[in-house]
Amino acid sequence: MSKASSSEAVGPTNSSWPLWEVFVRAKNGLAHKHVGSVHAADERMAIEAARDVYTRRMEGVSLWVVPSSAIVASDPKETTELFEPAADKVYRHPTFYTIPEGVKNI
Amino acid sequence: MTEEDVVAENPILHHALRLGDDALILGQRLSEWCGHAPMLELDLALANIGLDLIGQATHFLNLASEIEGKGRDADALAFHRDVLDFRNCLLVEQPNGDFAQTIARQFLFSNWQELLMREIAAAPEPRLSAIGAKAVKEIAYHARFASEWVVRLGDGTDESRARLIAGLDWMWRFVDELFDPKDGAPSLRADWDARIARTLAEASLELPKPRRGIVGGRSGHHSEHLGHLLSEMQFLQRAYPGATW
Amino acid sequence: MYTTELKDKNQKSAALSVADEDPEKLAAFEARVAADDFIEPKDWMPEAYRKTLIRQISQHAHSEIVGMLPEGNWITRAPNLRRKAILLAKVQDEGGHGLYLYAAAETLGISREEMIEALHSGRAKYSTIFNYPTLTWADIGAIGWLVDGAAIMNQVPLQRTSYGPYARAMVRICKEESFHQRQGYEIMCVLAAGTPEQKRMAQDALNRWWWPSLMMFGPPDDKSPNTAQSVRWRIKRETNDELRQKFVDVTVPQAEAIGLRVPDPALKWDEARGAYDFGDINWEEFYAVVRGEGATAKERIQARTSAWEDGAWVREAAATHASKRAMRLAAE
């Protein structure tokens, strides 16, 4: 966990604990996947809460917790301009190309 | 031969009963929190520790039952013995009190239990060491969890600090029993002292003042609290003898 | 466990209106939902959709949390080590489910504190089923079997509900709940095959939990004003009466299999419908419990309020410690 996250997540003194997003790696070789969130006062507690809440059934071998406030999300209003331009770039996909029949290993 | 003599003559039975009873009674205490913790996340955390302990109790009492060979299974040991035959330390039967008192108890106990279980896991008796090896990983987490909370409460607000000091004060009377030269594990004291002192220093708390230790749990002379705990825990088995559940 | 949408009979707020919404956005939204697309937190949504979801998800979360209490009542008295571990794990699961659901509701712009405050003040409802007492160990069996059984029936379709975070929480919950109903039924099987006292306990528990379990599905469809809109928005996927019928049809043979009698003289297999006919539900009882007149309503809210208030100093201490530490780190 990085030091930088702690001050951001903690905020001013009051009794409500910030929200953290939890990511679990199910097994080595796989990426961490978002599974949910927990409230915790500090990063150590966030890891432990994530462990107690989201890995009770052997769901993982590694955890990330990220202060929810640190996540920057794309705006759904921009969805068309961000993602639709990719739609006509069919040449990025292997099925776009014609290969003579019978040619293998390509 | 009385039951006490049988236990004294068989050191493995003796260990299995003590370890099983410690875990059972503390697991029972932690399960009292379920649904009442200060935060939902803590409900889950305390239940997880309780489940670990109930699992350890089951393993150790199964072993005790097997060694004893009298046809009393783990459930019979847990639900049909009375106070005089329970071998847990006094610390684990202490009431939950507030969250600080629960944390104080867990902090003192888990740090001790972890050191003890490391020895047991490395000991030559294969049946005990197999259970110990599994338990030690669980307990290391309990000790860490409780130690971190000692720091949070000790270095939190004035109120949390006062409550933690009161909780430690309540529990400290029962520490010596864990290391009693006759009936405890005196060799673990130095390591345990160092662990406790380190965490308390981090919480900017002083070590509680030494005081006369209260002992007796290991020979069946418990606090008043255990009888009430048992009357609740054993109610169904006592009210419906011979029934299966 | 599940709660259906609960309101006092006299409480207004029937179907929340969408009259003020931008018609173009509303039409696009409705089209997406109708196509079984998921709505995600930052997407545009009608205010009525957001409010209905907050109410439903938070009621559902409260039901999980309050639902820990009647079963928690027996953890310390579970009859053997195996049952003790199972029950503690199960009640802990309910806590986890409440947590997932609070988190899902938080994505709609309400905090957990606000929801908890609404529960404690009586503004928010929770499932009526948890306002009944657990008198004997058989009640733990009956809750797992009937209450979790009804819950599963309600929850399975919600895995495809239109709001992404809610649907994902439901997927996790359904997966975890798969053992809950079985452990309850197993308890009932053992009791029903046990001593005469145990059989009596089991039958008595079925007698007391049967009707409240049927009420869990909520008022009949013709008295459920929001159903049509909720079904259209995929917040609800089947109506109260459809789910209730399904529950009766699968549960009656389970009772018969272990020699227990369902406490309904009108219960009869209807060959033509291929379903059980069953007696009238006492809806006055249901609405009384919704109003907060259930046998243990005061105990439940008192237990939740005390836990929250007694824990205030703990939450404050941890938050204070975290900011002290952050300041020390910043000063280094």
Side-chain angles (χ1 to χ4, degrees):
Chain A
M1 283 155 298
S2 73
K3 262 191 186 176
S5 67
S6 65
S7 56
E8 257 208 63
V10 166
T13 301
N14 67 45
S15 60
S16 74
W17 296 350
L19 195 65
W20 304 71
E21 298 306 318
V22 179
F23 300 80
V24 175
R25 185 200 294 288
K27 57 180 188 184
N28 282 354
L30 297 179
H32 286 78
K33 187 176 162 221
H34 184 245
V35 292
S37 35
V38 292
H39 283 278
D42 56 62
E43 63 268 40
R44 201 71 248 172
M45 198 195 291
I47 283 283
E48 284 162 17
R51 177 258 193 197
D52 285 325
V53 174
Y54 291 103
T55 66
R56 282 172 293 143
R57 288 173 166 78
M58 301 184 297
E59 289 95 336
V61 296
S62 164
L63 280 167
W64 287 351
V65 290
V66 180
S68 305
S69 60
I71 292 197
V72 181
S74 63
D75 186 337
K77 286 202 278 295
E78 303 165 345
T79 300
T80 48
E81 63 202 69
L82 287 177
F83 306 113
E84 278 183 20
D88 67 351
K89 312 289 192 295
V90 282
Y91 43 79
R92 291 195 200 273
H93 300 278
T95 47
F96 179 70
Y97 301 92
T98 320
I99 302 291
E101 227 169 287
V103 175
K104 286 189 179 132
N105 300 321
I106 182 162
Chain B
M1 215 165 21
T2 68
E3 188 156 318
E4 279 165 24
D5 297 332
V6 174
V7 171
E9 282 207 353
N10 190 324
I12 300 165
L13 176 57
H14 173 85
H15 276 300
L17 272 180
R18 288 169 155 221
L19 295 164
D21 288 350
D22 280 352
L24 174 64
I25 301 302
L26 188 54
Q28 173 77 2
R29 279 288 185 228
L30 288 171
S31 76
E32 294 171 13
W33 270 106
C34 190
H36 306 279
M39 189 79 175
L40 206 36
E41 282 78 355
L42 290 174
D43 253 318
L44 273 83
L46 294 174
N48 266 350
I49 299 177
L51 283 168
D52 286 343
L53 288 164
I54 292 166
Q56 292 168 19
T58 306
H59 291 307
F60 282 121
L61 293 180
N62 274 333
L63 176 59
S65 146
E66 188 189 311
I67 296 167
E68 190 190 52
K70 283 206 255 168
R72 292 200 291 185
D73 63 7
D75 284 327
L77 288 169
F79 293 88
H80 287 283
R81 280 179 298 156
D82 198 357
V83 165
L84 290 179
D85 292 323
F86 267 84
R87 288 288 172 273
N88 60 282
C89 59
L90 298 171
L91 181 61
V92 293
E93 70 198 42
Q94 295 309 304
N96 286 341
D98 62 10
F99 185 71
Q101 185 165 314
T102 291
I103 288 296
R105 183 184 62 201
Q106 200 69 45
F107 169 61
L108 302 176
F109 179 76
S110 295
N111 273 295
W112 172 81
Q113 197 198 16
E114 185 187 342
L115 294 171
L116 180 71
M117 211 60 78
R118 285 192 192 287
E119 283 202 343
I120 287 170
E125 192 343 271
R127 290 170 297 181
L128 278 175
S129 65
I131 305 171
K134 180 182 169 293
V136 79
K137 295 172 213 151
E138 299 168 347
I139 301 163
Y141 182 77
H142 307 167
R144 185 178 110 174
F145 176 88
S147 302
E148 287 171 9
W149 269 103
V150 163
V151 175
R152 288 188 193 105
L153 298 180
D155 182 42
T157 60
D158 290 345
E159 181 179 5
S160 68
R161 185 180 172 81
R163 284 175 183 269
L164 180 61
I165 289 170
L168 287 166
D169 186 60
W170 182 282
M171 299 299 169
W172 200 256
R173 302 172 281 167
F174 309 109
V175 163
D176 283 351
E177 183 182 43
L178 306 174
F179 307 102
D180 188 61
K182 178 174 129 289
D183 216 11
S187 62
L188 303 177
R189 181 91 207 207
D191 280 353
W192 185 86
D193 280 342
R195 279 169 164 244
I196 298 302
R198 195 164 56 234
T199 301
L200 291 182
E202 205 187 324
S204 55
L205 289 174
E206 285 169 27
L207 269 177
K209 295 205 171 35
R211 70 201 66 183
R212 195 172 74 93
I214 300 174
V215 298
R218 301 304 189 192
S219 49
H221 293 157
H222 291 272
S223 65
E224 290 175 349
H225 306 292
L226 185 65
H228 292 282
L229 181 149
L230 295 182
S231 68
E232 185 174 343
M233 183 174 84
Q234 299 178 336
F235 154 69
L236 279 172
Q237 292 270 0
R238 301 286 195 180
Y240 300 93
T244 49
W245 302 91
Chain C
M1 281 181 235
Y2 176 79
T3 177
T4 184
E5 196 189 348
L6 293 172
K7 278 194 302 292
D8 291 4
K9 202 163 54 169
N10 303 322
Q11 216 170 322
K12 43 181 206 282
S13 91
L16 286 159
S17 166
V18 291
D20 297 337
E21 303 289 357
D22 175 341
E24 205 173 306
K25 284 183 176 163
L26 184 62
F29 170 86
E30 299 262 4
R32 276 180 67 189
V33 171
D36 276 334
D37 195 1
F38 287 104
I39 304 300
E40 293 295 345
K42 287 174 184 286
D43 291 345
W44 185 89
M45 60 186 83
E47 193 52 21
Y49 176 83
R50 200 180 67 85
K51 283 206 172 119
T52 307
L53 272 174
I54 287 181
R55 188 174 60 209
Q56 181 172 327
I57 302 173
S58 66
Q59 279 182 1
H60 194 164
H62 297 325
S63 300
E64 301 281 357
I65 302 311
V66 177
M68 297 171 79
L69 299 169
E71 289 179 281
N73 185 35
W74 279 90
I75 295 173
T76 56
R77 291 179 288 170
N80 57 43
L81 293 167
R82 176 172 175 266
R83 296 276 178 220
K84 188 182 288 295
I86 292 169
L87 186 58
L88 180 54
K90 185 200 183 248
V91 179
Q92 182 199 39
D93 273 353
E94 312 295 0
H97 299 169
L99 200 155
Y100 309 153
L101 290 162
Y102 281 130
E106 281 180 275
T107 63
L108 292 158
I110 185 169
S111 70
R112 193 194 290 181
E113 279 85 357
E114 288 173 281
M115 290 184 268
I116 287 174
E117 206 279 313
L119 171 69
H120 294 174
S121 70
R123 275 182 293 122
K125 305 291 181 192
Y126 55 91
S127 181
T128 48
I129 196 81
F130 304 117
N131 286 329
Y132 293 88
T134 48
L135 302 182
T136 70
W137 173 250
D139 290 32
I140 301 309
I143 289 182
W145 173 34
L146 302 174
V147 176
D148 286 282
I152 291 166
M153 212 133 261
N154 267 317
Q155 291 178 159
V156 163
L158 285 175
Q159 295 178 92
R160 294 176 295 117
T161 192
S162 61
Y163 189 57
Y166 191 24
R168 290 191 285 276
M170 292 316 306
V171 168
R172 180 170 277 272
I173 288 171
C174 287
K175 200 163 89 190
E176 296 188 352
E177 286 221 334
S178 52
F179 92 82
H180 292 184
Q181 193 191 12
R182 291 176 76 105
Q183 68 85 33
Y185 189 61
E186 188 192 81
I187 289 174
M188 293 304 260
C189 294
V190 172
L191 295 177
T195 65
E197 290 100 326
Q198 287 178 307
K199 274 184 203 151
R200 177 181 165 218
M201 241 184 240
Q203 183 61 54
D204 181 71
L206 174 57
N207 293 350
R208 283 180 292 112
W209 291 93
W210 175 254
W211 291 105
S213 298
L214 296 193
M215 292 177 199
M216 279 177 73
F217 296 93
D221 295 346
D222 54 9
K223 300 250 168 46
S224 188
N226 291 359
T227 290
Q229 180 165 284
S230 288
V231 168
R232 194 174 76 246
W233 280 347
R234 309 287 200 264
I235 291 172
K236 222 172 166 155
R237 308 229 34 159
E238 283 172 78
T239 71
N240 297 351
D241 287 333
E242 284 164 2
L243 290 166
R244 185 164 21 240
Q245 181 70 55
K246 217 191 247 187
F247 175 75
V248 171
D249 292 345
V250 303
T251 310
V252 170
Q254 292 166 356
E256 284 167 355
I258 55 175
L260 295 178
R261 195 177 35 77
V262 172
D264 179 358
L267 188 79
K268 189 166 103 291
W269 178 253
D270 181 336
E271 198 61 58
R273 283 202 307 134
Y276 281 96
D277 295 334
F278 53 95
D280 291 333
I281 291 170
N282 180 355
W283 291 111
E284 281 317 305
E285 154 91 6
F286 172 77
Y287 286 114
V289 180
V290 173
R291 280 196 306 272
E293 294 169 22
T296 61
K298 285 200 187 301
E299 284 86 346
R300 300 292 182 247
I301 289 299
Q302 185 189 51
R304 285 312 313 156
T305 309
S306 311
W308 185 248
E309 287 171 359
D310 294 349
W313 69 268
V314 177
R315 298 190 298 277
E316 196 192 338
T320 305
H321 171 70
S323 27
K324 281 185 181 176
R325 209 173 50 112
M327 276 189 289
R328 284 198 295 266
L329 279 172
E332 267 169 24

